[in-house]
Amino acid sequence: VQAPGARDENGPQGLTAAILGSGLGDIEPTAFTSEDVMAATFNEELIYAVIDTNVIVSALLSRNPDAATVKVFKAVSDGIICPLFNQEIIEEYMDVLCRDKFKLPICHIESVVKKIQQLGIMAERVHSSEEFPDLDDIVFYEVALSKEDAYLVTGNTKHFPKSPIVVTPAEMMEIILAL
């Protein structure tokens, strides 16, 4: 018997397990703990990025392990990307991922958000005077501004100011490969 919204091992939940590792209920960082990340603040190869909710949704719903969104989340899981977040972003992740239309089991949602919190850095917003078509997106951009050389990875670049810090998942993978 499968839980509501569960899919076969090749579906979204199977991919979630592949991204997070086999022990969804017992998450351990695969590369860095928060303390390791803080100690590695000057590591030039560590990429800091705010991950927009749409990237996480796409990664979790994708059936393609080679999708750029899946690779971005895997890079977070592997400690290549250090996610930046604040409480508003965590709440947005939970709110969106829990929507009925995605049919994601709550245990997977909680595991994903917990992984981001374990591997990432809580950051403050830095005020931006830029204009945004969707006011809910401002927090993602302003948190990305909190760390020099950080990125905002989004599938909706038109929702943000034209800026070198705003990149698509495919562009983020190019940045990673260039290291």
Side-chain angles (χ1 to χ4, degrees):
V1 176
Q2 291 183 321
R7 301 221 178 33
D8 67 326
E9 65 188 47
N10 295 318
Q13 281 65 43
L15 192 53
T16 303
I19 292 170
L20 293 174
S22 58
L24 279 173
D26 184 32
I27 298 220
E28 292 296 324
T30 57
F32 296 115
T33 64
S34 294
E35 293 80 23
D36 293 332
V37 171
M38 293 302 284
T41 299
F42 298 107
N43 180 348
E44 293 177 14
E45 293 185 20
L46 189 60
I47 297 172
Y48 297 90
V50 174
I51 310 299
D52 197 355
T53 312
N54 63 68
V55 174
I56 297 171
V57 169
S58 180
L60 294 178
L61 295 179
S62 178
R63 293 181 179 270
N64 179 2
D66 293 323
T69 56
V70 173
K71 289 181 177 183
V72 165
F73 198 80
K74 184 78 169 98
V76 169
S77 184
D78 289 345
I80 297 166
I81 296 174
C82 176
L84 301 175
F85 60 88
N86 71 0
Q87 190 57 40
E88 292 171 89
I89 291 173
I90 295 300
E91 290 169 7
E92 159 99 353
Y93 290 163
M94 291 300 296
D95 178 56
V96 173
L97 293 172
C98 285
R99 290 180 183 165
D100 289 339
K101 68 180 179 180
F102 298 130
K103 297 181 170 69
L104 296 168
I106 190 68
C107 63
H108 288 192
I109 296 167
E110 289 172 347
S111 294
V112 166
V113 173
K114 184 176 179 181
K115 186 110 179 171
I116 290 168
Q117 290 175 299
Q118 286 177 331
L119 299 176
I121 297 174
M122 178 78 82
E124 298 293 323
R125 292 174 75 157
V126 173
H127 177 72
S128 170
S129 58
E130 300 279 352
E131 302 241 350
F132 293 81
D134 183 351
L135 298 180
D136 291 337
D137 290 331
I138 296 172
V139 64
F140 292 90
Y141 187 76
E142 289 184 342
V143 169
L145 293 175
S146 71
K147 176 96 175 97
E148 188 175 346
D149 297 326
Y151 295 93
L152 167 58
V153 185
T154 181
N156 297 325
T157 56
K158 64 182 175 242
H159 288 194
F160 297 96
K162 283 208 173 281
S163 168
I165 74 166
V166 179
V167 298
T168 66
E171 290 168 332
M172 176 51 67
M173 293 315 301
E174 290 174 14
I175 292 165
I176 291 170
L177 292 174
L179 290 178

